[in-house]
Amino acid sequence: MPDLQRLFTIEGQTAVVTGGSGVLGRTMCLALAQAGARVVVLGRRAELANKVADEIRAAGGQSLGVSCDVTQRSELERALAQITETFGQIDILINGAGGNQVGATTSPERTFFDLDEQAVEAAFRLNFTGTLLSSQVFARGMTERGQGCIVNVASMASMRPLTRVLAYGAAKAAIVNFTQWLAVHMAQEYSPQIRVNAIAPGFFLTEQNRYIMLDEKSGDYTARAKTIIAHTPASRLGEADELIGTLLWLVSPASVFVSGIVVPVDGGFSAFSGV
């Protein structure tokens, strides 16, 4: 029998969280720190990344806030040098940076034929290319040591084509394929001790989706949000801290024989058939 006290421990490991200053990313950072990890909060805006890092330090944890655009390799390399100097090796990578673009989303005012090409490219580059580049830069050290853990953040849009969010859905679907591909590649080319998995959150209210989930004037749920809740057996939107249990399982020894999977945390949305 394994030591159950140590089954979920990540004490003393260094975890990098891209998108760590967002609603879901911040929750993941705080949870990883509470579990004993040294947490690097990566965010595009330095003040927001540092704010989360300050929260962790105020609670007695170790943290570093780093401003970084995950779509720029040079900025990722600079961040890696800063992280290595402060904490040494990277043990855990959470690829949480992502979001949608208004110009890449259809609406009554913007048809499929009117989608902005640059917005579509920006959405795909942030969600998919940002995950790819971050994995290339931050996971190289894992291959040298033959050990590490990567958790990508997919979406319900990865699993079925949701209306309106064309570019976001395509990019998140690519994340699922990339997760499975990278899990096999790392195990076969470098070490089976490097695991790659993904979490697919259901519907959570974030800054990125607020414009399509809440009516700007009334503050009430939009018709889209009401439809989502009606198709979620849990009958509500998710709370950010409801991702924590799955996250800690995937980054800890408790999931040592788990790689290449995508775990929905969605209140049953992906299981609902509509009948």
Side-chain angles (χ1 to χ4, degrees), residues 21-46:
S21 58
V23 173
L24 302 185
R26 170 184 171 274
T27 299
M28 291 181 180
C29 288
L30 296 176
L32 291 166
Q34 191 173 347
R38 298 182 291 263
V39 178
V40 180
V41 184
L42 256 66
R44 187 170 292 184
R45 294 171 56 186

Side-chain angles (χ1 to χ4, degrees), residues 68-220:
C68 181
D69 181 348
V70 297
T71 68
Q72 301 298 319
R73 182 183 292 274
S74 60
E75 293 196 23
L76 289 165
E77 296 284 3
R78 173 185 53 78
L80 175 62
Q82 188 176 351
I83 295 164
T84 302
E85 182 180 354
T86 305
F87 289 141
Q89 69 184 39
I90 296 170
D91 305 289
I92 298 167
L93 170 62
I94 312 297
N95 282 311
N100 202 5
Q101 296 278 326
V102 175
T105 304
T106 62
S107 68
E109 298 78 30
R110 185 184 301 104
T111 72
F112 164 72
F113 303 100
D114 300 318
L115 291 178
D116 182 76
E117 181 180 353
Q118 291 184 331
V120 171
E121 290 178 350
F124 201 88
R125 183 163 181 81
L126 173 59
N127 290 282
F128 176 72
T129 309
T131 295
L132 169 68
L133 293 176
S134 296
S135 298
Q136 287 180 321
V137 172
F138 296 129
R140 184 181 291 273
M142 297 180 186
T143 66
E144 295 167 355
R145 297 188 308 277
Q147 188 170 345
C149 181
I150 300 171
V151 176
N152 297 323
V153 177
S155 166
M156 285 299 100
S158 302
M159 301 179 172
R160 60 178 68 179
L162 304 180
T163 60
R164 297 185 60 182
V165 290
L166 167 67
Y168 178 81
K172 287 299 189 181
I175 291 294
V176 170
N177 185 281
F178 176 63
T179 298
Q180 295 170 331
W181 183 91
L182 191 60
V184 174
H185 181 74
M186 287 294 191
Q188 291 185 336
E189 300 294 327
Y190 298 102
S191 169
Q193 302 305 314
I194 303 173
R195 300 183 299 108
V196 186
N197 294 292
I199 294 175
F203 294 89
F204 297 73
L205 190 62
T206 68
E207 292 306 313
Q208 286 88 354
N209 68 13
R210 184 175 295 273
Y211 73 98
I212 60 174
M213 299 292 277
L214 292 180
D215 184 273
E216 188 175 334
K217 294 181 180 178
S218 68
D220 295 332

Side-chain angles (χ1 to χ4, degrees), residues 27-28 30-32 34 240-249 265:
T27 299
M28 291 181 180
L30 296 176
L32 291 166
Q34 191 173 347
D241 60 8
E242 291 169 338
L243 295 171
I244 291 173
T246 302
L247 175 68
L248 294 181
W249 171 60
V265 184

